[in-house]
Amino acid sequence: ADGEAVTLSYGSLPAGASVTTNGSTGVLTWQPDYGQEGSYTIAFSCNDGHPDDIVEENMTIAVNHTNQAPVFSGLIDTELVEGESYSQILTVSDPDGEEVTCTLTEHPTGLTYDDLTRTISWVPSYDINSGNFAVSLSCSDGLDNTVQSASFSVTNTNRRPIAAALPESAIVHEGETLQLTVSCTDPDSGTTITYSQQDDLAGLGAN
């Protein structure tokens, strides 16, 4: 009422907070960080230069908890071949210390995840698992969840043909014809087997 200049001052501030003053006015700026949940009281005062003319006010700020989603690592793009054993332990944590549960949301046949050991395991089977496959894992703390995906590329592995067992020996008289049936199968589907004669014995032929 006296038209005198008024100065604004303030007490201690929470970590990360700041006040910009301009004479009798001020602006409080603060973005509470995670882990600053609680109640904070800030004292403000105004003075016109006279020791007895100080006005004090306290402001209380309540910071509520904000849940943070779980974080995990170890699920990455991977190249494998059929029949190769794959095992990967994931690193899973929650910034708030909450219990985290993870589950597979997308995966190829045979790939498994053990939430107790945080381990992804897989042995790509022959004929079934060659190609590219998406693997997705979702981890939740009960409130928020984090989803990550990776691509698994599996290369076909050629396997040797399997020959049916032949007799250890055979008896044939001179002038007679000996016929033995040789049979081979290939464990890889869609392949053609070619037969050839390796031992050059007179009169021996293969059809």
Side-chain angles (χ1 to χ4, degrees), residues 37-207:
E37 175 185 2
S39 180
Y40 300 84
T41 299
I42 303 175
F44 291 92
S45 63
C46 293
N47 180 254
D48 61 3
H50 300 281
D52 296 332
D53 294 336
I54 298 177
V55 178
E56 296 182 344
E57 294 287 345
N58 290 333
M59 180 177 66
T60 300
I61 301 175
V63 179
N64 295 325
H65 172 69
T66 299
N67 185 68
Q68 300 178 79
V71 294
F72 67 92
S73 61
L75 180 60
I76 59 175
D77 293 347
T78 303
E79 295 182 356
L80 300 170
V81 296
E82 290 178 338
E84 178 182 358
S85 179
Y86 169 84
S87 180
Q88 177 65 47
I89 298 176
L90 305 183
T91 301
V92 181
S93 62
D94 185 82
D96 303 312
E98 302 290 343
E99 182 178 351
V100 179
T101 301
C102 300
T103 55
L104 286 169
T105 57
E106 184 178 10
H107 62 92
T109 302
L111 186 144
T112 61
Y113 172 72
D114 186 341
D115 201 31
L116 183 63
T117 61
R118 307 294 196 191
T119 303
I120 292 179
S121 303
W122 192 30
V123 179
S125 62
Y126 296 98
D127 296 332
I128 298 177
N129 288 135
S130 61
N132 295 316
F133 303 90
V135 177
S136 297
L137 192 75
S138 175
C139 292
S140 172
D141 61 4
L143 293 175
D144 294 300
N145 68 300
T146 300
V147 178
Q148 290 186 14
S149 299
S151 176
F152 280 54
S153 177
V154 181
T155 303
N156 178 67
T157 299
N158 184 66
R159 290 172 289 175
R160 293 181 178 181
I162 301 173
L166 293 173
E168 293 183 2
S169 61
I171 298 176
V172 63
H173 294 286
E174 295 175 337
E176 293 182 347
T177 300
L178 173 66
Q179 286 188 332
L180 293 176
T181 300
V182 179
S183 177
C184 294
T185 58
D186 195 309
D188 297 315
S189 60
T191 57
T192 300
I193 298 177
T194 301
Y195 294 88
S196 62
Q197 179 180 317
Q198 294 182 336
D199 294 326
D200 187 15
L201 299 178
L204 180 64
N207 297 320

